Structure formats: C-alpha cells, structure tokens
Amino acid sequence: MSMVNVSRHRTLMNVFDKTPVVDKDVFVAPSASVIGDVKIGRGSSIWYGCVLRGDVNSISVGSGTNIQDNSLVHVAKTNLSGKVLPTIIGDKVTVGHSAVLHGCVVEDEAFVGMGATLLDGVLVEKHAMVAAGSLVRQNTKVPSGEIWAGNPAKFLRKLTDEEIAFISQSATNYTNLAQVHAAENVKSFEEIEFEKALRKKYARKDEEYDSMLGVVREIPPELILPDNVLPKQQEKALKN
C-alpha cells in the first residue's frame, strides 16, 4: 500500500520538545507560522504570511503588539562571543510589513518600519523608531525617543510627542482591526455564503427610492462591524 503525503499548513507547530504558548485573545492569521518556543501575550496579532520560528532559542511577544504581514522573527543560539540571543518583543510594539527581526530586543511601544532588518544583539528602546527599509547592524542600540534610518541605520532625528503618541495609537488600532479579522476567519462556509447573499441584496439599496416608497430597510446585524473597530464613526452616528 502506498503512503499518501498530506500537505497541510499548521499555524502553531511544536519543534523538539518546544510548544508555542499563545494567549486565547491573540489573532494568528491562518497563513502565519508560529513554531516552537514562542510566547505571545493578550491582544497581540500575527498577520498573514508571518513566520515566528523559535527553534534554537525562544521568542517572546508581549501584549497588544502587532507583527504585520510577511514579517520574519527568528533567533540565534549564541553570537561569536557566546551571548545567548533570543528575540524579545515588548508590549504595544508595531512591527511593519516584511520586517526581519533576528536575535534582538524591541522594548514596549517601539516601532519597526516596513521592510526593516534588525540583526543579532540589536536593542530598540521604548518609544524608539526604526524607519522603513533600514538595516540595523549587530549590537546597535537605538535609544528611546529617536528615529534611526538607512543602511546601515544611523540617528536621523528625535521623535516628536505626536509621533510617540502615534506609536501607541497604531498598536491599539491593530488590536481592534485584528478582532475583525479573527471574527471573519472563524466563520463557517455556510455563514460566508449567507453573508454573500445578504451583501448582494443590500448592494442594490437606494435610499432616495426607498424613502419615496416609504420603505425602511435595516442593515442586518451580520454586516455591522464591532463597535471598537470604528469608534469615531460610531460616535458620529450617535450624535446624529
């Protein structure tokens, strides 16, 4: 009897004797891979195509942190001088699309731009920012309140208070957005088909024509976003 190879993607995967520990309130996208000794805290989100590979060392992600699509987080066992290099990412951190973080530390409320690369031994302090596309060389410290940019990354300027506030807000926005994606990803085939039919029906809605006929159509609850996703719009609606 021939053996059949079953190809399947596993979002959470053990390796050696190491098992990911992921809070139940974390969104891990179906195409992401979280492997081995990886801890992820409450309200964090791991987006489509990300790989967090904790095999030869550990990865720790705090709470309310977002690691955006196609980013890669890996570790080193040790560097040349024998320093152990796990990757530690704090709370309310934003890691932009397609970033690479390797054996480094990113403290709370720091921001790593799209396509940035952080090499072994890098420390990005709290409220610091690595600009998009930057390469941060081994053992570099990016101090709190500064933006570093370029290849190799160098000090660019100080962050403004508005930019520091934006880092925190960005993390909150992603936590909310992740809830929408999480809800969508757990829907059954039947629910998806039902919503498709609803959308088709309500796409034809013409408010002027309806009011002439005296018809009031309510939007079905299935098509209403959670309150926390668009709080400003919700507030506006309430005021009107």
Side-chain angles (χ1 to χ4, degrees):
M1 193 178 90
S2 64
M3 294 292 286
V4 178
N5 263 341
V6 180
S7 174
R8 62 201 169 96
H9 175 73
R10 292 160 67 189
T11 45
L12 303 180
M13 192 179 104
N14 296 358
V15 69
F16 308 129
D17 58 344
K18 296 166 182 172
T19 306
V21 178
V22 179
D23 188 276
K24 63 179 172 45
D25 189 33
V26 168
F27 169 61
V28 179
S31 54
S33 298
V34 176
I35 301 161
D37 194 354
V38 182
K39 289 184 181 61
I40 306 173
R42 183 177 176 76
S44 288
S45 51
I46 312 299
W47 290 81
Y48 305 93
C50 285
V51 176
L52 280 68
R53 179 155 62 91
D55 45 14
V56 297
N57 215 321
S58 67
I59 295 169
S60 170
V61 178
S63 56
T65 284
N66 61 92
I67 299 178
Q68 295 172 21
D69 318 66
N70 291 329
S71 291
L72 167 66
V73 182
H74 194 226
V75 287
K77 201 160 193 172
T78 56
N79 64 6
L80 287 172
S81 60
K83 187 183 176 194
V84 178
L85 291 170
T87 294
I88 300 163
I89 301 166
D91 301 336
K92 297 194 88 172
V93 170
T94 288
V95 175
H97 313 290
S98 297
V100 177
L101 278 64
H102 203 277
C104 59
V105 175
V106 181
E107 292 184 346
D108 298 350
E109 292 180 47
F111 189 102
V112 177
M114 291 187 273
T117 300
L118 277 55
L119 298 180
D120 292 356
V122 163
L123 168 61
V124 181
E125 290 189 341
K126 184 173 181 174
H127 295 154
M129 185 181 281
V130 175
S134 303
L135 174 70
V136 186
R137 286 193 296 194
Q138 290 188 348
N139 304 317
T140 301
K141 181 170 87 171
V142 180
S144 183
E146 295 185 2
I147 302 180
W148 283 46
N151 179 358
K154 293 194 169 84
F155 171 72
L156 182 64
R157 61 175 174 81
K158 292 277 189 187
L159 280 162
T160 65
D161 290 344
E162 289 78 14
E163 284 167 331
I164 289 170
F166 160 77
I167 295 175
S168 180
Q169 189 54 50
S170 169
T172 302
N173 292 346
Y174 258 91
T175 296
N176 291 339
L177 187 59
Q179 290 176 26
V180 178
H181 283 259
E184 191 64 36
N185 274 291
V186 295
K187 284 176 184 170
S188 66
F189 177 75
E190 288 76 15
E191 285 173 302
I192 293 164
E193 289 303 303
F194 174 62
E195 282 184 25
K196 246 192 239 172
L198 278 179
R199 281 201 169 84
K200 209 170 179 184
K201 181 181 173 186
Y202 283 88
R204 298 197 200 100
K205 186 170 85 161
D206 181 330
E207 284 178 25
E208 272 187 43
Y209 180 69
D210 283 356
S211 67
M212 278 165 58
L213 295 178
V215 173
V216 178
R217 305 195 211 197
E218 284 188 22
I219 296 172
E222 290 83 1
L223 299 186
I224 297 171
L225 289 171
D227 291 358
N228 63 350
V229 179
L230 300 168
K232 282 178 185 154
Q233 281 85 332
Q234 291 286 334
E235 280 166 30
K236 217 181 278 177
L238 289 171
K239 279 174 190 164
N240 295 341

